[in-house]
mmCIF file of all heavy atoms in Angstrom:
data_model
loop_
_atom_site.group_PDB
_atom_site.id
_atom_site.type_symbol
_atom_site.label_atom_id
_atom_site.label_comp_id
_atom_site.label_asym_id
_atom_site.label_seq_id
_atom_site.Cartn_x
_atom_site.Cartn_y
_atom_site.Cartn_z
ATOM 1 N N ARG A 147 78.555 -33.093 -0.224
ATOM 2 C CA ARG A 147 79.012 -33.375 1.096
ATOM 3 C C ARG A 147 80.434 -32.797 1.233
ATOM 4 O O ARG A 147 81.354 -33.277 0.610
ATOM 5 C CB ARG A 147 78.940 -34.855 1.396
ATOM 6 C CG ARG A 147 77.463 -35.334 1.355
ATOM 7 C CD ARG A 147 77.366 -36.801 1.256
ATOM 8 N NE ARG A 147 78.100 -37.475 2.332
ATOM 9 C CZ ARG A 147 78.156 -38.834 2.400
ATOM 10 N NH1 ARG A 147 77.607 -39.575 1.443
ATOM 11 N NH2 ARG A 147 78.827 -39.449 3.339
ATOM 12 N N LEU A 148 80.576 -31.714 2.062
ATOM 13 C CA LEU A 148 81.856 -30.919 2.128
ATOM 14 C C LEU A 148 82.499 -31.031 3.533
ATOM 15 O O LEU A 148 83.401 -30.284 3.803
ATOM 16 C CB LEU A 148 81.549 -29.510 1.807
ATOM 17 C CG LEU A 148 80.882 -29.271 0.412
ATOM 18 C CD1 LEU A 148 80.564 -27.799 0.188
ATOM 19 C CD2 LEU A 148 81.799 -29.829 -0.651
ATOM 20 N N ARG A 149 82.033 -31.936 4.420
ATOM 21 C CA ARG A 149 82.606 -31.982 5.709
ATOM 22 C C ARG A 149 84.123 -32.381 5.678
ATOM 23 O O ARG A 149 84.534 -33.246 4.855
ATOM 24 C CB ARG A 149 81.909 -33.097 6.517
ATOM 25 C CG ARG A 149 82.158 -33.021 8.002
ATOM 26 C CD ARG A 149 81.295 -34.013 8.774
ATOM 27 N NE ARG A 149 81.205 -35.329 8.277
ATOM 28 C CZ ARG A 149 81.971 -36.315 8.624
ATOM 29 N NH1 ARG A 149 82.924 -36.091 9.572
ATOM 30 N NH2 ARG A 149 81.908 -37.409 8.150
ATOM 31 N N GLU A 150 84.942 -31.739 6.423
ATOM 32 C CA GLU A 150 86.414 -31.977 6.493
ATOM 33 C C GLU A 150 87.142 -31.705 5.212
ATOM 34 O O GLU A 150 88.301 -32.146 5.057
ATOM 35 C CB GLU A 150 86.738 -33.424 7.062
ATOM 36 C CG GLU A 150 86.193 -33.655 8.450
ATOM 37 C CD GLU A 150 86.536 -35.032 8.853
ATOM 38 O OE1 GLU A 150 87.283 -35.738 8.257
ATOM 39 O OE2 GLU A 150 85.815 -35.467 9.859
ATOM 40 N N CYS A 151 86.485 -30.958 4.227
ATOM 41 C CA CYS A 151 87.299 -30.586 3.039
ATOM 42 C C CYS A 151 88.247 -29.465 3.362
ATOM 43 O O CYS A 151 88.035 -28.695 4.317
ATOM 44 C CB CYS A 151 86.314 -30.014 2.065
ATOM 45 S SG CYS A 151 85.423 -31.207 1.091
ATOM 46 N N ARG A 152 89.386 -29.459 2.643
ATOM 47 C CA ARG A 152 90.363 -28.388 2.847
ATOM 48 C C ARG A 152 90.242 -27.392 1.740
ATOM 49 O O ARG A 152 90.371 -27.748 0.574
ATOM 50 C CB ARG A 152 91.742 -28.940 2.910
ATOM 51 C CG ARG A 152 91.862 -29.931 4.072
ATOM 52 C CD ARG A 152 93.339 -30.307 4.363
ATOM 53 N NE ARG A 152 94.024 -29.200 4.759
ATOM 54 C CZ ARG A 152 95.400 -29.137 4.918
ATOM 55 N NH1 ARG A 152 96.022 -30.340 4.777
ATOM 56 N NH2 ARG A 152 96.075 -28.142 5.269
ATOM 57 N N PHE A 153 89.822 -26.130 2.081
ATOM 58 C CA PHE A 153 89.561 -25.174 1.046
ATOM 59 C C PHE A 153 90.553 -23.927 1.060
ATOM 60 O O PHE A 153 90.361 -23.029 0.365
ATOM 61 C CB PHE A 153 88.136 -24.656 1.168
ATOM 62 C CG PHE A 153 87.019 -25.527 0.673
ATOM 63 C CD1 PHE A 153 86.257 -26.142 1.642
ATOM 64 C CD2 PHE A 153 86.873 -25.671 -0.654
ATOM 65 C CE1 PHE A 153 85.217 -26.990 1.148
ATOM 66 C CE2 PHE A 153 85.828 -26.444 -1.099
ATOM 67 C CZ PHE A 153 84.991 -27.137 -0.169
ATOM 68 N N GLU A 154 91.654 -24.026 1.815
ATOM 69 C CA GLU A 154 92.640 -22.910 1.893
ATOM 70 C C GLU A 154 92.979 -22.508 0.475
ATOM 71 O O GLU A 154 93.529 -23.444 -0.282
ATOM 72 C CB GLU A 154 93.900 -23.270 2.776
ATOM 73 C CG GLU A 154 93.485 -23.574 4.202
ATOM 74 C CD GLU A 154 93.337 -25.016 4.449
ATOM 75 O OE1 GLU A 154 92.758 -25.848 3.604
ATOM 76 O OE2 GLU A 154 93.936 -25.526 5.458
ATOM 77 N N GLY A 155 92.941 -21.187 0.150
ATOM 78 C CA GLY A 155 93.330 -20.778 -1.135
ATOM 79 C C GLY A 155 92.439 -21.133 -2.292
ATOM 80 O O GLY A 155 92.679 -20.722 -3.491
ATOM 81 N N ALA A 156 91.359 -21.897 -2.086
ATOM 82 C CA ALA A 156 90.357 -22.175 -3.160
ATOM 83 C C ALA A 156 89.665 -20.965 -3.583
ATOM 84 O O ALA A 156 89.305 -20.080 -2.765
ATOM 85 C CB ALA A 156 89.514 -23.271 -2.707
ATOM 86 N N ASP A 157 89.281 -20.921 -4.790
ATOM 87 C CA ASP A 157 88.506 -19.827 -5.393
ATOM 88 C C ASP A 157 86.985 -20.370 -5.541
ATOM 89 O O ASP A 157 86.720 -21.148 -6.460
ATOM 90 C CB ASP A 157 89.002 -19.391 -6.690
ATOM 91 C CG ASP A 157 88.449 -17.986 -7.087
ATOM 92 O OD1 ASP A 157 87.324 -17.672 -6.637
ATOM 93 O OD2 ASP A 157 89.081 -17.391 -8.006
ATOM 94 N N LEU A 158 86.089 -19.896 -4.784
ATOM 95 C CA LEU A 158 84.693 -20.214 -4.744
ATOM 96 C C LEU A 158 83.780 -19.165 -5.298
ATOM 97 O O LEU A 158 82.582 -19.265 -5.115
ATOM 98 C CB LEU A 158 84.253 -20.799 -3.379
ATOM 99 C CG LEU A 158 84.875 -22.130 -2.892
ATOM 100 C CD1 LEU A 158 84.907 -22.162 -1.435
ATOM 101 C CD2 LEU A 158 84.114 -23.218 -3.534
ATOM 102 N N ARG A 159 84.396 -18.257 -5.864
ATOM 103 C CA ARG A 159 83.461 -17.065 -6.466
ATOM 104 C C ARG A 159 82.586 -17.582 -7.455
ATOM 105 O O ARG A 159 82.924 -18.311 -8.431
ATOM 106 C CB ARG A 159 84.371 -15.966 -6.983
ATOM 107 C CG ARG A 159 85.154 -15.246 -5.986
ATOM 108 C CD ARG A 159 86.117 -14.180 -6.513
ATOM 109 N NE ARG A 159 87.106 -14.902 -7.352
ATOM 110 C CZ ARG A 159 87.922 -14.347 -8.235
ATOM 111 N NH1 ARG A 159 87.756 -13.010 -8.397
ATOM 112 N NH2 ARG A 159 88.807 -14.953 -8.858
ATOM 113 N N GLY A 160 81.228 -17.304 -7.294
ATOM 114 C CA GLY A 160 80.210 -17.732 -8.167
ATOM 115 C C GLY A 160 79.788 -19.064 -8.022
ATOM 116 O O GLY A 160 78.842 -19.630 -8.765
ATOM 117 N N ALA A 161 80.418 -19.901 -7.102
ATOM 118 C CA ALA A 161 79.995 -21.305 -6.820
ATOM 119 C C ALA A 161 78.626 -21.315 -6.201
ATOM 120 O O ALA A 161 78.293 -20.477 -5.321
ATOM 121 C CB ALA A 161 81.009 -21.961 -6.140
ATOM 122 N N ARG A 162 77.865 -22.360 -6.456
ATOM 123 C CA ARG A 162 76.613 -22.595 -5.725
ATOM 124 C C ARG A 162 76.741 -23.634 -4.688
ATOM 125 O O ARG A 162 77.016 -24.783 -5.019
ATOM 126 C CB ARG A 162 75.499 -22.861 -6.765
ATOM 127 C CG ARG A 162 75.154 -21.739 -7.722
ATOM 128 C CD ARG A 162 74.147 -22.059 -8.716
ATOM 129 N NE ARG A 162 74.533 -23.138 -9.707
ATOM 130 C CZ ARG A 162 75.437 -22.958 -10.684
ATOM 131 N NH1 ARG A 162 76.031 -21.820 -10.831
ATOM 132 N NH2 ARG A 162 75.725 -24.026 -11.523
ATOM 133 N N VAL A 163 76.609 -23.248 -3.496
ATOM 134 C CA VAL A 163 76.730 -24.241 -2.325
ATOM 135 C C VAL A 163 75.428 -24.056 -1.548
ATOM 136 O O VAL A 163 75.038 -23.074 -1.107
ATOM 137 C CB VAL A 163 77.938 -23.778 -1.489
ATOM 138 C CG1 VAL A 163 78.191 -24.879 -0.393
ATOM 139 C CG2 VAL A 163 79.215 -23.667 -2.359
ATOM 140 N N GLY A 164 74.895 -25.221 -1.282
ATOM 141 C CA GLY A 164 73.641 -25.294 -0.407
ATOM 142 C C GLY A 164 73.863 -24.955 0.958
ATOM 143 O O GLY A 164 75.059 -25.025 1.470
ATOM 144 N N ALA A 165 72.906 -24.700 1.816
ATOM 145 C CA ALA A 165 73.007 -24.288 3.217
ATOM 146 C C ALA A 165 73.708 -25.452 3.961
ATOM 147 O O ALA A 165 74.554 -25.173 4.844
ATOM 148 C CB ALA A 165 71.645 -24.070 3.813
ATOM 149 N N ASP A 166 73.398 -26.650 3.744
ATOM 150 C CA ASP A 166 73.961 -27.757 4.495
ATOM 151 C C ASP A 166 75.541 -27.792 4.190
ATOM 152 O O ASP A 166 76.311 -28.023 5.078
ATOM 153 C CB ASP A 166 73.445 -29.151 3.982
ATOM 154 C CG ASP A 166 71.975 -29.380 4.531
ATOM 155 O OD1 ASP A 166 71.611 -28.653 5.504
ATOM 156 O OD2 ASP A 166 71.314 -30.246 4.035
ATOM 157 N N GLY A 167 75.882 -27.626 2.979
ATOM 158 C CA GLY A 167 77.329 -27.561 2.646
ATOM 159 C C GLY A 167 78.077 -26.378 3.301
ATOM 160 O O GLY A 167 79.121 -26.502 3.783
ATOM 161 N N LEU A 168 77.381 -25.242 3.389
ATOM 162 C CA LEU A 168 77.951 -24.119 4.015
ATOM 163 C C LEU A 168 78.096 -24.307 5.513
ATOM 164 O O LEU A 168 79.075 -23.813 6.060
ATOM 165 C CB LEU A 168 77.111 -22.802 3.737
ATOM 166 C CG LEU A 168 77.067 -22.333 2.306
ATOM 167 C CD1 LEU A 168 76.118 -21.278 2.079
ATOM 168 C CD2 LEU A 168 78.526 -21.819 1.877
ATOM 169 N N VAL A 169 77.256 -25.047 6.143
ATOM 170 C CA VAL A 169 77.374 -25.381 7.504
ATOM 171 C C VAL A 169 78.503 -26.314 7.754
ATOM 172 O O VAL A 169 79.389 -26.205 8.683
ATOM 173 C CB VAL A 169 76.096 -25.856 8.110
ATOM 174 C CG1 VAL A 169 76.269 -26.462 9.534
ATOM 175 C CG2 VAL A 169 74.972 -24.856 8.067
ATOM 176 N N ALA A 170 78.603 -27.401 6.956
ATOM 177 C CA ALA A 170 79.601 -28.423 7.053
ATOM 178 C C ALA A 170 81.013 -28.029 6.601
ATOM 179 O O ALA A 170 81.983 -28.472 7.177
ATOM 180 C CB ALA A 170 79.214 -29.655 6.324
ATOM 181 N N ALA A 171 81.134 -27.061 5.680
ATOM 182 C CA ALA A 171 82.392 -26.705 5.141
ATOM 183 C C ALA A 171 83.166 -25.790 6.061
ATOM 184 O O ALA A 171 82.685 -24.882 6.591
ATOM 185 C CB ALA A 171 82.237 -26.128 3.699
ATOM 186 N N ASP A 172 84.447 -25.936 6.118
ATOM 187 C CA ASP A 172 85.396 -24.971 6.720
ATOM 188 C C ASP A 172 85.993 -24.167 5.606
ATOM 189 O O ASP A 172 86.955 -24.673 4.918
ATOM 190 C CB ASP A 172 86.474 -25.760 7.441
ATOM 191 C CG ASP A 172 87.399 -24.831 8.194
ATOM 192 O OD1 ASP A 172 87.315 -23.687 8.002
ATOM 193 O OD2 ASP A 172 88.249 -25.341 8.913
ATOM 194 N N LEU A 173 85.500 -23.002 5.376
ATOM 195 C CA LEU A 173 85.987 -22.221 4.313
ATOM 196 C C LEU A 173 87.147 -21.166 4.674
ATOM 197 O O LEU A 173 87.412 -20.264 3.892
ATOM 198 C CB LEU A 173 84.729 -21.420 3.682
ATOM 199 C CG LEU A 173 83.621 -22.217 3.125
ATOM 200 C CD1 LEU A 173 82.517 -21.339 2.585
ATOM 201 C CD2 LEU A 173 84.196 -23.176 2.095
ATOM 202 N N ARG A 174 87.776 -21.399 5.819
ATOM 203 C CA ARG A 174 88.848 -20.538 6.125
ATOM 204 C C ARG A 174 89.893 -20.546 5.043
ATOM 205 O O ARG A 174 90.345 -21.486 4.598
ATOM 206 C CB ARG A 174 89.487 -20.990 7.438
ATOM 207 C CG ARG A 174 88.669 -20.595 8.705
ATOM 208 C CD ARG A 174 89.439 -20.957 9.926
ATOM 209 N NE ARG A 174 89.261 -22.496 9.948
ATOM 210 C CZ ARG A 174 89.566 -23.261 11.038
ATOM 211 N NH1 ARG A 174 90.145 -22.727 12.052
ATOM 212 N NH2 ARG A 174 89.313 -24.630 10.978
#
Side-chain angles (χ1 to χ4, degrees):
R147 294 165 55 187
L148 304 175
R149 192 171 54 90
E150 298 180 13
C151 282
R152 299 193 61 188
F153 283 107
E154 298 98 317
D157 192 341
L158 288 154
R159 291 176 293 166
R162 291 177 298 288
V163 184
D166 289 343
L168 290 171
V169 170
D172 180 356
L173 297 180
R174 281 181 286 188

